[in-house]
């Protein structure tokens, strides 16, 4: 159990380097098995989910080591194509190894990732895409067994731009004979990062960032290296913290275009935002006004992962903020916890209404999930008195050295393990 202790109402000031993206690292780690070559990845955050992906790679026979923020992988020694349940259950996104394994080995066997705190999270779109590429898939409710003598290029139309399904299809399509065209693909920056990595491995691939991705021939080429893109959700969290606590924070090593919708709402709420290509400065008096309505959507819309942290920033904003969650069915789990701080929030189904209160007060909270936990940190930083967040390891799944990064900005926060 981890305990986050926060004494709130400290202004945040200074510069902070934003970590590399968890959600870009995970599919790239899976993609590293596509060809028997060595690769080096830089700016990889040191997180539990990254560690889980490295253990999966080692279990498959690869060499996979992390030193600081650099990861070394040699998949030339890959010797297996099945992932045991104990490793699968650690991280839902390990399902992304399905496409990579079928591409490299023509076979993959893994247990179903199951649901999670945010809702059902089925993988029907992943499996449908792999089947269209020619994979034979058997499921018995607990295990998936996927085989293919030869995948073939085809046109796949996604009814919804699922990030994970797009990634799985991109990975598998690399091994297909002939061209694959993905229509209605997800457009997230992490998809572009995966395309860049696959390109460096030897794939002929283009279109990521639009809703049509083309994957052609794959000719493995020597060793490769790639720098992981900055984490737009961690950047959003820090921006929301600065906005609600007040202060003057410079986010460095980021791409502000990746979370421009978040910066847009913070600006509307009264923050002064100045961006360059690789930084954003957020100046805030801490007295915000309500914004909205905020509606979560696939990229380039407002990110569902930033919804809880923006909600936290609006708790003391003058007026009422409406938030509509369209991606996950169960993404207001933070609300009852935020209410313990004195927040005035109602929600019904997928819509929440935040009515700003003049003051929040510290309380004992329990982190519900990764971004829900982050929202409690943002709220605790602007609450009067001490907040203690009891967390079963959710927050450190996605936030690297978050307490020390916030302390460097003047926050009174420490993590007790
Ligand atoms: C990724 C991110 C996650 C983010 C989400 C949406 C990673 C590791 N995780 O998750 O942080 O919140 O994108 O931006 O990158 N769906 C189906 N069938 C499927 C797949 C998805 O119905 O086969 C539904 C899901 O239940 C969910 C919605 O589609 O309601 C979005 O899911 P998806 O885009 O696939 O998210 P993930 O890739 O799981």
């Amino acid at each position: 159990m981890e305990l986050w202790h926060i004494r709130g109402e400290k202004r945040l000031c200074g510069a902070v380097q934003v970590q590399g993206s968890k959600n870009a690292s995970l599919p790239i780690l899976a993609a590293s098995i596509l060809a028997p070559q060595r690769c080096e990845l830089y700016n990889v955050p040191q997180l539990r989910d990254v560690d889980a992906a490295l253990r999966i790679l080692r279990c498959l026979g690869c060499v996979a080591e992390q030193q600081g923020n650099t990861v070394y992988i040699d998949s030339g020694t890959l010797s297996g194509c099945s992932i045991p349940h104990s490793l699968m259950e650690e991280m839902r996104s390990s399902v992304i190894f399905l496409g990579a394994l079928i591409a490299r080995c023509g076979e993959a066997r893994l247990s179903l990732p199951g649901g999670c705190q945010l809702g059902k999270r089925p993988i029907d779109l992943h499996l449908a895409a792999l089947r269209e590429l020619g994979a034979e898939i058997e499921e018995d409710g607990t295990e998936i067994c996927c085989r293919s003598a030869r995948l073939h290029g085809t046109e796949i139309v996604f009814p919804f731009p699922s990030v994970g399904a797009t990634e799985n299809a991109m990975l598998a399509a690399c091994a297909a004979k002939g061209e694959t065209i993905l229509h209605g693909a997800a457009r997230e920056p992490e998809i572009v990062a995966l395309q860049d990595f696959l390109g460096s491995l030897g794939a002929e691939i283009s279109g990521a960032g639009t809703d049509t991705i083309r994957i052609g021939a794959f000719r493995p080429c020597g060793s490769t290296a790639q720098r992981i893109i900055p984490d737009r959700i961690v950047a959003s969290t820090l921006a929301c913290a600065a906005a609600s606590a007040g202060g003057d924070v410079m986010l460095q090593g980021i791409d502000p275009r990746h979370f421009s919708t978040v910066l847009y709402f913070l600006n509307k709420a009264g923050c002064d935002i100045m961006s360059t290509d690789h930084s954003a400065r957020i100046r805030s008096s801490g007295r915000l006004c309500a914004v909205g309505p905020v509606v979560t959507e696939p990229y380039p819309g407002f990110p569902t992962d930033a919804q809880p942290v923006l909600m936290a920033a609006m708790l003391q904003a003058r007026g009422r903020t409406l938030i509509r969650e369209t991606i996950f069915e169960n993404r207001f789990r933070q609300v009852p916890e935020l209410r313990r701080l004195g927040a005035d929030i109602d929600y019904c189904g997928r819509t929440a209404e935040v009515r700003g209160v003049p003051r929040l007060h510290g309380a004992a909270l329990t982190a519900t999930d990764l971004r829900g936990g982050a929202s409690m940190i943002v709220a605790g930083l602007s609450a009067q008195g001490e907040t203690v967040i009891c967390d079963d390891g959710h927050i450190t799944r996605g936030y690297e050295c978050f307490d020390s990064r916030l302390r460097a900005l003047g926050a009174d926060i420490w993590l007790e393990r």
Side-chain angles (χ1 to χ4, degrees):
M1 197 54 76
E2 295 173 341
L3 290 177
W4 295 79
H5 300 266
I6 305 166
R7 287 199 201 98
E9 291 194 308
K10 304 273 186 298
R11 286 172 68 77
L12 303 182
C13 292
V16 59
Q17 191 72 24
V18 173
Q19 69 183 62
S21 162
K22 168 178 86 71
N23 288 354
S25 300
L26 300 176
I28 287 177
L29 288 169
S32 69
I33 64 175
L34 238 67
Q37 58 197 27
R38 284 184 309 133
C39 55
E40 275 184 34
L41 304 172
Y42 312 118
N43 202 32
V44 183
Q46 290 180 286
L47 300 169
R48 237 181 53 216
D49 276 9
V50 167
D51 196 54
L54 295 176
R55 275 182 285 131
I56 290 176
L57 287 169
R58 287 196 287 271
C59 160
L60 294 169
C62 306
V63 176
E65 297 298 339
Q66 179 161 23
Q67 283 171 17
N69 292 117
T70 302
V71 164
Y72 305 89
I73 301 165
D74 187 343
S75 60
T77 51
L78 182 127
S79 53
C81 61
S82 61
I83 305 177
H85 179 69
S86 56
L87 285 174
M88 280 302 292
E89 69 179 357
E90 280 196 39
M91 179 179 61
R92 187 188 182 280
S93 45
S94 44
V95 71
I96 216 66
F97 277 88
L98 196 58
L101 278 170
I102 188 87
R104 170 82 186 267
C105 312
E107 193 177 345
R109 191 184 291 270
L110 38 89
S111 63
L112 282 162
C116 79
Q117 305 93 344
L118 308 182
K120 290 195 289 288
R121 300 187 85 168
I123 56 165
D124 53 319
L125 302 176
H126 301 235
L127 301 186
L130 297 178
R131 284 191 172 110
E132 287 191 54
L133 286 162
E136 285 166 28
I137 302 176
E138 286 167 31
E139 300 170 70
D140 65 4
T142 55
E143 235 197 15
I144 307 174
C145 188
C146 187
R147 260 190 222 97
S148 152
R150 189 80 175 124
L151 296 171
H152 53 77
T154 185
E155 294 204 27
I156 297 172
V157 181
F158 288 108
F160 175 83
S162 155
V163 175
T166 301
E167 291 167 346
N168 248 330
M170 288 164 77
L171 295 171
C174 283
K177 186 169 175 345
E179 188 183 53
T180 298
I181 306 177
L182 308 180
H183 299 280
R187 299 159 62 185
E188 271 70 0
E190 294 76 22
I191 302 284
V192 179
L194 179 60
Q195 168 176 284
D196 291 346
F197 183 66
L198 291 173
S200 79
L201 288 182
E204 209 174 85
I205 178 165
S206 61
T210 75
D211 63 1
T212 307
I213 301 176
R214 290 172 184 271
I215 303 119
F218 183 63
R219 293 182 199 87
C221 48
S223 58
T224 185
Q226 170 118 342
R227 187 176 169 81
I228 299 295
I229 60 170
D231 196 308
R232 62 195 170 98
I233 306 302
V234 171
S236 302
T237 307
L238 290 163
C240 287
S244 60
D248 184 350
V249 168
M250 176 74 92
L251 304 178
Q252 292 176 326
I254 54 155
D255 187 335
R257 289 168 305 179
H258 290 172
F259 61 111
S260 59
T261 46
V262 179
L263 293 175
Y264 167 81
F265 280 117
L266 294 180
N267 180 242
K268 278 189 79 174
C271 299
D272 189 11
I273 313 260
M274 279 184 294
S275 306
T276 69
D277 285 352
H278 300 293
S279 71
R281 181 176 176 185
I282 294 105
R283 284 188 294 179
S284 167
S285 64
R287 287 184 297 277
L288 304 179
C289 53
V291 293
V294 179
V295 182
T296 64
E297 284 170 337
Y299 193 84
F302 189 90
T304 172
D305 286 352
Q307 176 266 105
V309 293
L310 184 77
M311 174 185 279
M314 291 299 128
L315 298 178
Q316 293 176 90
R318 211 167 1 94
R320 94 192 222 285
T321 300
L322 280 182
I323 301 177
R324 182 157 168 73
E325 171 62 51
T326 73
I327 307 294
F328 291 110
E329 67 222 23
N330 196 9
R331 201 145 208 189
F332 290 135
R333 287 167 50 96
Q334 71 276 12
V335 169
E337 298 300 308
L338 296 176
R339 282 189 191 134
R340 290 176 196 269
L341 301 171
D344 184 4
I345 316 171
D346 269 337
Y347 72 98
C348 179
R350 291 183 175 220
T351 304
E353 180 177 324
V354 178
R355 292 175 290 268
V357 292
R359 200 141 227 197
L360 298 173
H361 51 78
L365 311 179
T366 303
T368 46
D369 57 86
L370 167 57
R371 307 301 171 189
S375 79
M376 293 169 211
I377 292 186
V378 171
L381 289 170
S382 59
Q384 188 181 37
E386 185 170 340
T387 294
V388 179
I389 305 166
C390 180
D391 183 17
D392 199 8
H394 295 293
I395 301 171
T396 48
R397 267 186 49 225
Y399 292 84
E400 181 191 54
C401 305
F402 206 48
D403 57 332
S404 54
R405 280 188 162 102
L406 284 165
R407 266 199 308 277
L409 295 175
D412 189 347
I413 178 169
W414 73 100
L415 173 59
E416 181 189 341
R417 290 178 197 264

